[in-house]
């Protein structure tokens, strides 16, 4: 009995030892494998758990007296540096030239800050966009108009690429010709030039209003009046109306392939005055402009400059528009071009009549008010009209 009673506890202890030994063997084996894998295999690790750092390699000792080199910011890629440099050069006060193609230009111009407030001091400027074929014959009158109003306007000129003329360095027009392409009357190239002018002007965030003008346009008021009317308006001034006579210019392919219906077809004067938000819509449009370029050109007498922007406003449902232009032209002669005013036509009575609406009886409301300015600009004035205009400007137009 004694022998039996002693063997039972020994047997129980043996079983415990036998249970511990496998655990020790597994632990030892795992430790050995871990050491081997750490020394001979790459660093395999569980996802989201960083690998163990490699042993540090001794670095050469630097002299104690040598100062640590200052930290340098990592430069942007060369392509981005060129882009930013191109934009900054373009925004310079002396030159509007740059090396951007239209695709890159429109991409930059389509951007808009999301934050309404700005850390920079901004004075709203008016961008004057001159669409010309060459010289600016009335530039002395515009010089008088812009005189002593630096910082409140920007000038951009789109001319024929073959034009090599230049104004004096002291002129406000000096260096303001943008990279231009050839245009043809009534052609899509005219609208492309308008979009190019808008895109260049949009790069300057201070430009709040955008006015399209030709070399035959004149201002009817002094600069402070024009600036106040444009920057104080809550609408754009784009001619956009239903004209049944122009429906023959509509191409049925518009509806089939671009979802532009005849009911959305609009006509209007080419010469616009618009705010920044609408200007951005025009340069960002990559849906309807290609359709006009393809189908309007295929339709007889489809004058794209009279239909694209007016129809675009209808397509995007733009409500902030006065549906009229601020640029006067006399179409009563019934020709494809408005009347041209020469030296003998320019009188004080003519200027006052145009400023008052030229007896058109049109609605000249402003910001939903009862009274407003009917026209700020007028066309077409010939080169020989410069002398009488120059003489009348201080008296009638209020130029200083």
């Amino acid at each position: 009995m004694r022998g039996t009673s002693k063997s039972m506890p020994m047997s129980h202890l043996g079983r415990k030892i036998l249970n511990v030994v496998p655990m020790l063997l597994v632990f030892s084996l795992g430790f050995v494998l871990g050491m081997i894998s750490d020394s001979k295999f790459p660093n395999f690790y569980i996802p989201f758990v960083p690998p163990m750092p490699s042993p540090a390699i001794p670095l050469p000792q630097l002299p104690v007296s040598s100062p640590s080199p200052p930290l340098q910011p990592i430069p942007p890629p060369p392509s981005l540096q060129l882009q930013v440099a191109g934009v900054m050069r373009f925004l310079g006060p002396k030159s509007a030239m740059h090396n951007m193609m239209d695709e890159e230009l429109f991409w930059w111009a389509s951007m808009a800050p999301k934050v309404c407030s700005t850390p920079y001091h901004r004075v709203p400027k008016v961008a004057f966009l001159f669409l010309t074929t060459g010289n600016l014959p009335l530039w002395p009158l515009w010089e008088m108009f812009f005189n002593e109003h630096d910082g409140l306007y920007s000038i951009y000129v789109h001319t024929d690429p073959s034009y090599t003329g230049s104004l004096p360095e002291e002129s406000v027009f000096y260096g303001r010709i943008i990279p231009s392409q050839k245009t043809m009357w009534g052609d899509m190239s005219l609208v492309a030039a308008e979009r190019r002018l808008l895109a260049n002007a949009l790069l300057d965030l201070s430009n709040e209003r955008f006015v399209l003008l030709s070399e035959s346009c004149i201002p009817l008021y002094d600069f402070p009046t024009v600036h106040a009317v444009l920057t104080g308006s809550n609408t754009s001034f784009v001619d956009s109306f239903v004209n049944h006579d122009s429906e023959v210019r509509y191409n049925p392919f518009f509806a089939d392939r671009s979802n532009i219906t005849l009911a959305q077809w609009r006509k209007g004067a080419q010469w616009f005055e618009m705010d920044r938000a609408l200007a951005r819509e025009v340069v960002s449009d990559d849906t309807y402009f290609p359709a006009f370029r393809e189908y309007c050109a295929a339709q007889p007498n489809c004058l794209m400059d009279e239909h694209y922007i007016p129809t675009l406003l209808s397509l995007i449902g733009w409500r902030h528009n006065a549906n009229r232009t601020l640029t006067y032209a006399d179409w009563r002669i019934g020709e494809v071009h408005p009347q041209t005013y020469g030296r003998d036509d320019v009188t004080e009575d003519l200027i006052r009549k145009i400023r008052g609406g030229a007896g058109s009886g049109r609605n000249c409301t402003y910001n939903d008010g009862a009274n407003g300015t009917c026209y700020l600009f007028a066309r077409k004035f010939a080169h020989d009209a410069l002398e009488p205009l120059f003489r009348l400007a201080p008296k009638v137009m209020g130029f200083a």
Side-chain angles (χ1 to χ4, degrees):
M1 292 295 293
R2 288 180 181 178
T4 304
S5 62
K6 288 182 179 180
S7 63
M8 290 182 63
M10 290 299 296
S11 176
H12 181 68
L13 179 60
R15 284 196 299 270
K16 286 185 177 182
I17 293 174
L18 290 176
N19 289 335
V20 171
V21 168
M23 295 177 62
L24 290 174
L25 290 175
V26 171
F27 177 81
S28 301
L29 180 62
F31 178 80
V32 172
L33 289 175
M35 293 295 292
I36 294 173
S37 65
D38 186 66
S39 61
K40 294 185 178 182
F41 295 95
N43 285 329
F44 294 104
Y45 55 92
I46 302 174
F48 309 113
V49 178
M52 294 295 292
S54 301
I57 301 175
L59 297 175
Q61 296 294 322
L62 295 176
V64 177
S65 58
S66 300
S68 300
L71 294 176
Q72 297 294 332
I74 299 175
S79 59
L80 182 59
Q81 285 180 316
L82 291 174
Q83 292 170 347
V84 173
V87 173
M88 294 308 295
R89 284 199 306 270
F90 172 76
L91 294 179
K94 295 299 182 183
S95 177
M97 291 300 294
H98 54 82
N99 57 4
M100 290 185 288
M101 302 298 288
D102 279 356
E103 182 180 10
E104 183 181 0
L105 171 66
F106 291 168
W107 182 79
W108 279 104
S110 65
M111 297 182 181
K114 294 293 184 181
V115 179
C116 296
S117 60
T118 172
Y120 308 105
H121 175 66
R122 292 176 67 253
V123 176
K125 295 194 298 186
V126 177
F128 293 83
L129 319 177
F130 289 87
L131 180 56
T132 75
T133 55
N135 197 14
L136 286 166
L138 303 177
W139 69 269
L141 181 69
W142 285 100
E143 292 276 356
M144 185 188 298
F145 172 76
F146 289 120
N147 188 37
E148 297 186 355
H149 297 293
D150 293 346
L152 296 177
Y153 66 88
S154 302
I155 296 174
Y156 305 87
V157 181
H158 187 291
T159 187
D160 192 278
S162 63
Y163 176 70
T164 58
S166 179
L167 292 173
E169 289 190 24
E170 60 271 16
S171 170
V172 296
F173 291 96
Y174 182 80
R176 301 313 301 169
I177 296 178
I178 67 170
S180 307
Q181 296 184 22
K182 193 172 184 61
T183 60
M184 293 178 60
W185 179 80
D187 186 62
M188 58 77 56
S189 58
L190 278 179
V191 178
E194 295 172 11
R195 299 175 81 232
R196 199 171 295 118
L197 280 164
L198 285 171
N200 279 273
L202 279 167
L203 295 181
D204 187 339
L205 296 180
S206 295
N207 288 329
E208 292 287 346
R209 306 291 299 200
F210 304 80
V211 181
L212 182 67
L213 302 160
S214 74
E215 67 266 33
S216 66
C217 287
I218 66 166
L220 296 172
Y221 292 87
D222 60 294
F223 182 89
T225 300
V226 171
H227 185 272
V229 170
L230 291 176
T231 58
S233 174
N234 57 22
T235 66
S236 293
F237 295 88
V238 180
D239 235 8
S240 179
F241 56 90
V242 176
N243 182 271
H244 296 296
D245 293 337
S246 68
E247 290 179 354
V248 295
R249 301 175 178 177
Y250 175 81
N251 192 327
F253 281 108
F254 279 126
D256 295 339
R257 303 184 186 180
S258 303
N259 201 29
I260 304 174
T261 66
L262 182 59
Q264 296 169 313
W265 187 251
R266 297 291 185 272
K267 183 183 178 181
Q270 176 185 7
W271 313 101
F272 57 72
E273 297 81 15
M274 62 177 62
D275 61 13
R276 189 173 185 87
L278 181 54
R280 214 165 35 237
E281 291 287 342
V282 174
V283 303
S284 302
D285 172 36
D286 57 3
T287 300
Y288 303 113
F289 180 72
F292 267 83
R293 183 171 51 195
E294 182 175 357
Y295 304 130
C296 193
Q299 195 73 0
N301 300 319
C302 182
L303 304 180
M304 190 168 171
D305 55 301
E306 293 183 356
H307 292 285
Y308 168 67
I309 292 182
T311 303
L312 178 64
L313 267 64
S314 171
L315 292 166
I316 64 178
W318 196 262
R319 298 182 179 275
H320 306 291
N321 184 38
N323 287 327
R324 65 183 179 96
T325 180
L326 292 177
T327 303
Y328 172 81
D330 188 354
W331 290 95
R332 292 176 296 176
I333 57 177
E335 301 290 340
V336 293
H337 298 288
Q339 178 178 340
T340 299
Y341 298 105
R343 174 189 295 271
D344 297 334
D345 301 311
V346 177
T347 63
E348 181 177 340
D349 182 62
L350 173 67
I351 302 300
R352 295 193 186 280
K353 184 181 295 185
I354 293 176
R355 296 208 315 184
S360 61
R362 63 181 300 175
N363 180 9
C364 299
T365 57
Y366 177 78
N367 289 350
D368 298 326
N371 298 316
T373 303
C374 288
Y375 299 106
L376 291 178
F377 312 97
R379 60 185 302 266
K380 302 175 58 172
F381 287 82
H383 187 188
D384 65 357
L386 178 60
E387 189 276 327
L389 285 170
F390 214 75
R391 177 169 37 83
L392 289 173
K395 180 182 179 181
V396 182
M397 305 173 197
F399 289 12

